[in-house]
Amino acid sequence: MQILDIKYFGNSLLDWSIASAIAVAIYVVSLIVRRVILKQIRRFAEKTETKLDDLFAELLANLKHFPIILFAIYIGSTVLSLQPKPSRYIEIILILSILLQGGFWGN
């Protein structure tokens, strides 16, 4: 029996490794995309007099890391065969983190 065939919560170690790699990749790509988009929006906002683009740039700049991390974990977990209950917990935590992020933006 190979080490990658060992099962944890119904998934092999290889499946968990793939899910983790997907989550890390989604997180890193999300941070890069956020940085590129923020730079473009700020450059555009300097040329206009409207406040809407400034507001959008400010919101994007104040985006916390935990919703991005939880989104990445959620996407990574979709490749696993999880029971309905843990999957639902992951979805609820993701929704709560998005609501919490909205609270930070509103403050």
Side-chain angles (χ1 to χ4, degrees):
M1 180 178 207
Q2 293 184 348
I3 195 163
L4 293 178
D5 293 333
I6 298 172
K7 299 257 184 198
Y8 294 101
F9 301 106
N11 295 285
S12 69
L13 195 53
L14 178 63
D15 293 336
W16 284 102
S17 299
I18 292 170
S20 299
I22 290 171
V24 169
I26 294 289
Y27 177 68
V28 170
V29 168
S30 297
L31 291 180
I32 292 169
V33 168
R34 183 180 90 167
R35 181 175 289 160
V36 169
I37 290 174
L38 184 59
K39 185 184 283 188
Q40 294 294 325
I41 290 173
R42 284 185 173 159
R43 194 175 301 151
F44 178 75
E46 290 174 357
K47 298 176 184 176
T48 64
E49 293 189 22
T50 63
K51 297 293 180 193
L52 187 60
D53 47 9
D54 295 327
L55 174 65
F56 188 65
E58 188 68 26
L59 290 176
L60 192 58
N62 290 327
L63 181 63
K64 304 292 184 196
H65 285 269
F66 66 88
I68 299 171
I69 292 169
L70 291 174
F71 175 73
I73 290 171
Y74 173 74
I75 297 298
S77 72
T78 60
V79 301
L80 297 173
S81 299
L82 296 175
Q83 298 294 323
K85 202 169 188 176
S87 293
R88 185 68 182 146
Y89 288 150
I90 293 171
E91 291 171 3
I92 290 170
I93 291 170
L94 177 63
I95 291 168
L96 289 175
S97 74
I98 292 170
L99 291 173
L100 190 58
Q101 176 64 53
F104 285 129
W105 280 337
N107 190 5

